Structures are given as structure tokens and as C-alpha cells.
Amino acid sequence: MTRLRDQKSNRIQVLNRFLGESTSEYDPKHSNVAPYEQDDESGDEGINSDSSNENDGRPLWQNGEATKIYLELLEVFITKSHAFARFKSNFRYLSRPPTHLSEALDTRDIYIVQRFLAKNFTSAASSDYEWLHELDEAGFSKHEIAELLLENTNDSPWIRFTPRAHVRCHIQNNFHVPDCAHEGNTRNKPQPLPYSEQARPSVPHADLRRQVEELCGIGGVIPSSRDISSWDSSMTFQEQSSASSITYAATSPLTSQTHRAMLVKISNVLDNFCTTAAAVQSNGLCCGSFTALFQLQECLNLRRIEFYHATEMASHMNEALEDDNTEAAIRHCAQSARHILQALVETLPETIPDNDLHYCALAAQFLCVAFLSYTQAHIGPVDLFFLNTPQREMMLLGSQHVPGDFAIKAQLVEPTCLAEMTQQPVLAFSSVAKKEKLLWGSGPSRFDVLSNPEDFLDTWGPGYFVHNTANPSKIHAIALGGGFVFLADGGTSNFHWSKGKLPESALQATFEPCTMMRIGAPVTINLNCYTDEAA
């Protein structure tokens, strides 16, 4: 503060010196302004005469570089001063006063917000801002309240937080939680409650839930600092901050330095993912895999993703940062990334510049978003404690600034008959190429769900298989969410979920635990059955 105060004094001295020199150089003979009448005994005439010869009628700023500097200082002194800022603020307020607090905050002007609070505090401290009364009662000044409001507005939609220290633990591959859906046990279990009467289906522990959100972020993006350049990636928002694009692309041209910086980003994201996946696993809330919904043509395909591919990626990326043979390690990391991404497309395009690095970045982003969605059973938008707006759509760009030949879009879509069970749209992933038109907020569509019984129960449990008594390896139905999934049409392998009791007809059909079910077929109505509605 002392240095700033000294600088201010120096500027005043320079300004005074400049004004004195410019006054001494004034020549009324060469001025377009009518001269003042002067006393004949004035001794300034000789000075003005000499100055007129030097100026030769030229503008003042052409008389030397020093004069130009003085003028620039004068401009800064006037336009950048605190008083001038207050003048602009007051003029803006008088010319178009805000009618709501949100309008005042949109100006990003602390004086306008402070003035609005001083004159309209009762109306301002209402609805979403009722908490302002607590600040007022606690003795906060209007200026301090305005500062807090603007800080929140300028950070929006981010909510800054201090990261916690997390214990690094390792994922167990080929691991199964006791009595999980993959084990196919035959024990009788109670009828599961409807989703509306259950606790959150996955990760019910608040601390663990926060750890998942903090380490996964949004595709690895975590607002852990006000220095955005320190984040592991960047985001842009659309649709009133409910849709976002995530990229690890550098803001400057790709060089050896920015290339290594991207490797560090990907490595950090993968390490965080493995840490949080291991924590969820150690709490008995997932096996050695998780699921994701992929939008493929007219179906939502529920597929299993093994943690093994993520641990392989993390290991190879660390090798790329430590060893001399960096390119070989990146190629091995990209091979594991391709195993993950091939759930979206059969053949990945190879026309993308530095495609190995792009696929590593894209897979890391996908792992974080998909696992986060899995912990909430893929139901509803991704709602994180450090964002004030739930994310309904996300575009994962990998190492690119815009969707190139291959990017991933996550959006909410509505299942057919399962919509009654989930009671909200579900989050599904699809591939996007630059030739396709990107539409934000296009609205949910209805899709059947394609899955095997094990992954289905693992995702939307708790529940159980209704086994055939004579042959326990056969299944009659899957009980979960307050209803049952059963075979509706044996000829087409179409399945249906319905609420309530299991229909008697379902006990006449069986299927294997590995059967690929298409869930969405309505119950067939017998048109020959006559119903007397008046009865």
C-alpha cells in the first residue's frame, strides 16, 4: 500500500509540472481561441513569442515524446481515477436505475449494488436472497454485502472451496462385493421399495459422496483455486450454465512445454479417478467395474466398464512423465483409452491430430463423468456441491477446442417404461463429430434400454433375481424399484418393467442371467377380453 501511495504522489507532481510547462508554452497568436486581454506591462510576451517559433502551429502532442507521455498520464489520471469511476457509476444509475437486485448485480458495479441495497433492501432481501437479512442483522454494511454478492456473481456458476487431503488407495481389479449382482446368488430377499421411498440408490455416505464429486469434478475440472490456469482443464457454459464444454486443450500453440503440461493434467485426473473409485470400492459400494449408458441409435445400451482399463491408463501416463520413451508410453495409454471409447463407436477415427493424446484426454474426461453418474444410478442431472447449476448436458472435447472428428456428448434422455421407475430422465453418452450439428437443450427423447440382468441390477438396485425353483440358474424376473422386470414377449426377447406385483404370466417364462434384454415393451392387452366398465 505504501508503494501505491507513493506512486499516486509522484503522478500528481508530474501532472503539476506538466500543467506548468504547458501553460508557459501557450501562444494566443497561434490559437483558435480568442486571447484574453493582457496588460501592456506583462513580461510574458517574450516567452510566448519564443514558444510560438518552436511550436510552429503543430498540435501539442507533436512537440516531443515527453509531452506525449504527460498527456497520457493526464488521461490516465482523469479516466482511471476513483472519482471518475464513481461519476460513471452514478450517471449509469441515474440514467437507468435497476428495478431488481439481479439487474444491479448484472452491472458488476459495486457502487450500483450498494446504492440499490441502501434504497431497496427490503425488496432485495427476498426470495433467493432472504439470507441477506442475516447479514444485515449481523452488522454487515451495505458495502460489505455488495462485495459478497458480487463475489458470488463473478464466480458463478462456480462455488470455490478448499480441497481436502485424500488418502491414496488402489483399485482392486476383478473384485466383487459379497452378494453382488454379478455373483448370481439365489437367496430370497424382501421386495425392494419404490425409488421415491428409498434413500439415494448409490453412495449414501455424505463424506464419500463429496469425495467422489471433488476428485472427479466435471470431466476432471475442479475449481480448487481462483487461478484458473492451475486447474486440470477448462470449461465453458451455455444454456444458463446448465450445459458445459470440457477441454484439456492449451490456450497457446502446442509445444513441447504445453504437450507435457497436458500429460500432467491427464495424469492428475486419472490419479484422482482411481483414488475415488478405490474409496467407493472399499466401502463395498461397487465391484471391479461400473456401468454407463450409451445412446446407440434407438436404444440406450447399458455397458460395463472395467476399472482395469483406468488403472492401466494411469500407469502408462505416469511412465510417460517419468521415462525417456514418452511416446511409447502414450501409445500404450491410448490403447487402454480405445478399449473404453469403443463402447461409443466401433472404429475410432485416426484423422485427429495427435490422436493418441486426444483419446487419452477424452477417456479421462469420460471416466470421471460416467463414474459420477453411476454413483447416482445415472438418474437426473449431475449436481455437484461446487456448482450452483446442475449439469444437464456436457460436451467432452478431449484435447480439442471444438468438436472434431470425435467428441462425446452426455445429455439427459428419457427411457420408455423405465421412466416410471427412475422418475427422472437418465444421463446417456453419445459420440459427436464436427459434421453433425450440435444442438444444446434439444430436450429429452424416449429410448428402450438394452442390458443384461447383472448390469441392470448392479446399476439400479438394490433388488434381486426371481430364480426358477427347479432350475436356479434360470430367472423369471428382476425385482427392483418397487416393481419387476420380466419377459413380455419370448419371441422377440422384449422385456418390460411394471410397478407392483409380478404378473402370473411372468412365472411361465425364464431367461439366463446373461440374456441381453430390451426393456421397454408394453404389456400385451388381450383385445378379446371384454370389460364391463359400468360394473
Side-chain angles (χ1 to χ4, degrees):
M1 295 301 292
T2 303
R3 294 178 61 186
L4 183 61
R5 182 193 60 203
D6 293 341
Q7 288 179 4
K8 184 176 181 180
S9 300
N10 289 338
R11 287 176 179 173
I12 294 176
Q13 293 173 7
V14 171
L15 179 62
N16 290 334
R17 187 168 61 251
F18 165 69
L19 292 175
E21 292 180 6
S22 62
T23 302
S24 66
E25 293 178 357
Y26 178 77
D27 183 3
K29 294 181 181 180
H30 296 281
S31 174
N32 294 326
V33 181
Y36 290 105
E37 292 184 1
Q38 298 183 15
D39 193 290
D40 292 340
E41 296 180 0
S42 173
D44 294 336
E45 183 176 357
I47 298 176
N48 290 335
S49 177
D50 294 339
S51 177
S52 65
N53 292 333
E54 294 176 2
N55 289 341
D56 196 23
R58 292 175 295 171
L60 182 61
W61 64 271
Q62 292 182 355
N63 292 329
E65 188 65 26
T67 304
K68 182 179 179 182
I69 294 174
Y70 290 145
L71 287 174
E72 290 175 348
L73 287 171
L74 178 62
E75 179 188 5
V76 170
F77 176 80
I78 295 175
T79 62
K80 303 298 182 182
S81 66
H82 177 74
F84 190 73
R86 291 296 300 271
F87 167 75
K88 289 194 300 180
S89 175
N90 290 333
F91 183 78
R92 189 183 302 117
Y93 187 93
L94 290 173
S95 62
R96 190 178 179 182
T99 58
H100 302 285
L101 179 57
S102 58
E103 292 182 10
L105 292 172
D106 287 341
T107 66
R108 299 296 199 273
D109 190 318
I110 190 170
Y111 301 115
I112 288 180
V113 177
Q114 179 181 344
R115 189 168 183 176
F116 183 86
L117 290 173
K119 291 193 171 187
N120 309 278
F121 187 80
T122 301
S123 62
S126 61
S127 188
D128 292 338
Y129 295 98
E130 289 184 359
W131 52 273
L132 294 181
H133 287 292
E134 299 178 11
L135 297 181
D136 185 53
E137 294 169 359
F140 282 75
S141 67
K142 298 299 186 291
H143 184 81
E144 291 171 331
I145 295 175
E147 284 182 330
L148 291 172
L149 286 169
L150 281 177
E151 180 179 346
N152 180 65
T153 300
N154 292 331
D155 287 345
S156 182
W158 298 109
I159 300 172
R160 312 290 179 180
F161 70 97
T162 302
R164 299 178 178 179
H166 298 285
V167 178
R168 298 287 175 178
C169 45
H170 300 285
I171 291 174
Q172 300 180 58
N173 295 314
N174 301 318
F175 169 80
H176 288 283
V177 174
D179 204 28
C180 72
H182 310 111
E183 296 297 301
N185 64 77
T186 59
R187 291 192 302 170
N188 293 326
K189 302 178 182 179
Q191 169 70 8
L193 295 172
Y195 269 33
S196 59
E197 300 176 23
Q198 293 180 11
R200 181 179 291 270
S202 299
V203 193
H205 312 292
D207 289 343
L208 185 57
R209 177 70 192 178
R210 180 188 169 97
Q211 180 178 349
V212 173
E213 295 179 5
E214 182 175 326
L215 293 181
C216 285
I218 294 286
V221 184
I222 305 168
S224 56
S225 167
R226 291 190 176 275
D227 181 12
I228 297 179
S229 63
S230 67
W231 299 4
D232 286 325
S233 46
S234 61
M235 285 182 67
T236 55
F237 293 94
Q238 296 87 18
E239 296 294 312
Q240 298 180 336
S241 299
S242 67
S244 55
S245 298
I246 301 101
T247 180
Y248 296 168
T251 55
S252 56
L254 191 62
T255 62
S256 58
Q257 185 175 3
T258 57
H259 184 272
R260 180 172 178 81
M262 189 176 296
L263 295 181
V264 172
K265 288 181 180 181
I266 298 172
S267 178
N268 289 339
V269 171
L270 289 171
D271 286 344
N272 285 341
F273 170 80
C274 290
T275 296
T276 191
V280 174
Q281 191 181 62
S282 64
N283 278 270
L285 297 171
C286 73
C287 299
S289 61
F290 67 102
T291 64
L293 280 168
F294 298 94
Q295 183 180 330
L296 302 174
Q297 297 178 351
E298 74 280 5
C299 282
L300 299 179
N301 198 334
L302 184 69
R303 293 188 177 180
R304 189 185 309 177
I305 301 167
E306 301 290 341
F307 285 139
Y308 170 81
H309 299 304
T311 58
E312 285 291 293
M313 283 187 66
S315 176
H316 291 309
M317 191 55 64
N318 288 332
E319 290 175 6
L321 292 171
E322 297 172 358
D323 297 345
D324 294 333
N325 197 356
T326 299
E327 295 304 319
I330 293 176
R331 284 195 302 271
H332 292 146
C333 183
Q335 289 176 1
S336 296
R338 284 179 170 85
H339 283 293
I340 297 171
L341 300 176
Q342 281 174 347
L344 286 158
V345 289
E346 293 182 2
T347 304
L348 296 173
E350 300 296 335
T351 56
I352 301 172
D354 207 352
N355 59 70
D356 282 346
L357 191 61
H358 171 65
Y359 290 144
C360 291
L362 194 58
Q365 293 168 0
F366 167 77
L367 286 169
C368 290
V369 177
F371 186 67
L372 191 57
S373 179
Y374 169 76
T375 62
Q376 58 186 46
H378 305 304
I379 298 174
V382 175
D383 191 2
L384 305 177
F385 73 89
F386 54 78
L387 278 178
N388 59 24
T389 307
Q391 297 301 289
R392 302 180 65 85
E393 297 183 38
M394 289 159 281
M395 182 65 64
L396 310 181
L397 301 176
S399 63
Q400 300 175 321
H401 288 286
V402 295
D405 288 339
F406 183 52
I408 299 175
K409 183 178 181 180
Q411 66 178 338
L412 289 176
V413 296
E414 189 173 346
T416 48
C417 67
L418 289 180
E420 186 181 1
M421 182 189 78
T422 61
Q423 300 181 3
Q424 291 188 66
V426 294
L427 192 72
F429 297 85
S430 59
S431 62
V432 175
K434 60 185 177 183
K435 62 183 178 181
E436 301 173 13
K437 187 176 181 180
L438 176 59
L439 296 174
W440 294 104
S442 55
S445 301
R446 294 177 64 86
F447 297 88
D448 290 350
V449 173
L450 201 64
S451 173
N452 65 54
E454 292 179 353
D455 292 338
F456 187 85
L457 185 56
D458 173 56
T459 302
W460 285 299
Y464 60 93
F465 296 145
V466 179
H467 291 275
N468 180 269
T469 305
N471 186 358
S473 64
K474 299 286 187 178
I475 299 173
H476 289 297
I478 307 171
L480 79 170
F484 292 87
V485 173
F486 55 90
L487 186 61
D489 186 347
T492 59
S493 294
N494 285 339
F495 287 73
H496 180 67
W497 180 91
S498 66
K499 187 176 181 179
K501 296 182 178 180
L502 181 65
E504 290 293 332
S505 59
L507 298 176
Q508 300 174 10
T510 60
F511 54 95
E512 302 282 347
C514 59
T515 301
M516 188 57 66
M517 310 179 296
R518 178 165 180 160
I519 306 167
V523 177
T524 303
I525 300 175
N526 186 353
L527 299 178
N528 296 321
C529 178
Y530 174 76
T531 302
D532 186 358
E533 296 182 358

